[in-house]
Amino acid sequence: MFPSLDGIRAYSAIGIVLMHVKANMPLNFSGYVYDRVIATMSGLVFLFMILSAFSLSCGYYEKFKLKEITPDQFYKRRYMRILPFFAILVLIAAFIPHSPNQTAISRSSDFILGSSPMPHILQMALEAFLNITMLFGFLPNFSMSVMGVGWFLGIIFIFYIFYPFFVFLIDNRFRAWMMFFISLLICLSCMTYFFTDKFISFSAVPRSFLYNLPFFMAGGLIYLYRDFIYHITSKNQWLWWILSILLTIIYWEYGHWNSDFVGVIVTLLTMSIWVCLAIGYEGVLLSNRILRYLSSISMEIYLCHMMCFRAVSYFHFDKFFPNIHLAYIAVCILTLLIAIIFSHVVKYCLIDRMVIGKSKLYKVG
């Protein structure tokens, strides 16, 4: 319906790869591009949240209101959209020998089971099990060693479970705006009161559904005003480009996207404006064949890119370049290429064929 959203998804996935490679390469990076632009790309996960709420509403909001889809149909589609690929990654990360996730677990504090430390293999098995249930987002602190980047998926799946109620919350524009401001108050109260030692003994920000609720509400509001947004952005694209670029520069300069409430507001405004721009923009910069393809596997790229980076790091590919900037660029490109190939093979050559084969088997039976 809005093809330029594919470009936003694709660029966001690439940006997150650039950020994680920079954060994990053992090189001394410095400069505005590294410290501001690339470092703050971690906030692109919030753009994914806004897009998730908007895209899900495009597909299911009216169907839920008109009772054209059952909960069984909805949740089966949500599970099939993300579980097979995620489950494969979890099993690889948890049980392949010398996995970096196994190393992370072995260095973590030992859990006590009775009077003996819990074996590391059992820790990995328990984390893998809860990951595959897709319910790990309900843990009070789900900083998992197996598939650490999966925390975002935990938040997204809570939103899927929450979605029928979300449809009620945005049933009309007045209620949607009221709930948006309430969600901001919830976020603020969590940061200043509920996520303190009075209630919890660890940092829950930003890995909390309540903290991220304003981003989902923003996606719902954008959906409700999608026709109006398309009208004003398509007729004044240059103004929206200027506004988007200015907000992005403010976002880079501010740099503390998750440390205080002002950062939440800056991030929320910046990411929302980019989504609004994409709704009305129809140029090749945000909509072309390559971006459409990358968008179709953007979630898969996000989930597997750290595993691909670890594989590149294992062979010390960065040592081939005397210049750290060239090394960074080369590692980013190689990591992204491996992530794309892995995502394509698993999603389109393995999972899709299994689903098609299963469907044929059911038809025969």
Side-chain angles (χ1 to χ4, degrees), residues 1-5 54 222-223 225-227 229-231 233-234 274-282:
M1 184 181 298
F2 303 106
S4 291
L5 293 178
F54 178 80
I222 293 172
Y223 169 77
Y225 288 90
R226 63 195 182 282
D227 294 332
I229 291 172
Y230 174 81
H231 177 74
T233 55
S234 61
W274 275 108
V275 174
C276 291
L277 170 65
I279 288 175
Y281 181 76
E282 297 179 353

Side-chain angles (χ1 to χ4, degrees), residues 148-292:
V149 297
W151 72 267
F152 167 75
L153 206 58
I155 295 291
I156 290 295
F157 202 78
I158 292 179
F159 176 66
Y160 290 163
I161 295 174
F162 174 79
Y163 188 73
F165 181 60
F166 182 79
V167 172
F168 160 75
L169 294 181
I170 64 170
D171 181 67
N172 58 73
R173 293 180 178 181
F174 173 78
R175 187 188 299 167
W177 277 108
M178 181 178 67
M179 288 308 306
F180 172 71
F181 288 114
I182 288 176
S183 72
L184 287 174
L185 290 175
I186 290 174
C187 178
L188 177 61
S189 63
C190 285
M191 298 178 73
T192 58
Y193 182 67
F194 292 111
F195 292 171
T196 63
D197 292 340
K198 179 177 176 65
F199 291 92
I200 56 178
S201 59
F202 53 84
S203 175
V205 176
R207 301 183 180 190
S208 162
F209 181 76
L210 291 178
Y211 173 92
N212 294 293
L213 183 57
F215 298 96
F216 293 111
M217 292 303 306
L221 278 170
I222 293 172
Y223 169 77
L224 293 180
Y225 288 90
R226 63 195 182 282
D227 294 332
F228 173 73
I229 291 172
Y230 174 81
H231 177 74
I232 61 174
T233 55
S234 61
K235 291 184 177 299
N236 303 280
Q237 289 188 5
W238 65 276
L239 285 174
W240 284 84
W241 274 106
I242 292 174
L243 178 60
S244 300
I245 292 171
L246 287 176
L247 278 172
T248 301
I249 293 172
I250 294 172
Y251 172 75
W252 289 341
E253 287 294 329
Y254 191 78
H256 307 293
W257 53 267
N258 71 335
S259 60
D260 56 48
F261 190 64
V262 176
V264 172
I265 298 299
V266 171
T267 304
L268 182 61
L269 285 174
T270 304
M271 303 308 169
S272 296
I273 291 298
W274 275 108
V275 174
C276 291
L277 170 65
I279 288 175
Y281 181 76
E282 297 179 353
V284 294
L285 186 62
L286 294 180
S287 180
N288 56 62
R289 184 177 298 179
I290 295 175
L291 292 177
R292 284 194 296 272

Side-chain angles (χ1 to χ4, degrees), residues 29-47:
F29 296 106
S30 62
Y32 186 86
V33 173
Y34 292 115
D35 298 335
R36 294 290 186 177
V37 178
I38 294 177
T40 55
M41 286 182 180
S42 52
L44 291 172
V45 293
F46 302 111
L47 178 58

Side-chain angles (χ1 to χ4, degrees), residues 337-354:
L337 285 175
I338 296 175
I340 291 171
I341 294 170
F342 181 85
S343 299
H344 181 93
V345 170
V346 174
K347 181 175 181 177
Y348 294 120
C349 300
L350 179 61
I351 295 175
D352 279 7
R353 289 186 179 182
M354 290 174 60

Side-chain angles (χ1 to χ4, degrees), residues 15 33 65 72-73 129 139 144 164 221 233 256 264 304 306:
V33 173
K65 291 191 67 173
D72 181 72
Q73 293 170 326
F129 162 72
L139 288 172
M144 311 283 264
L221 278 170
T233 55
H256 307 293
V264 172
C304 76
M306 280 306 295

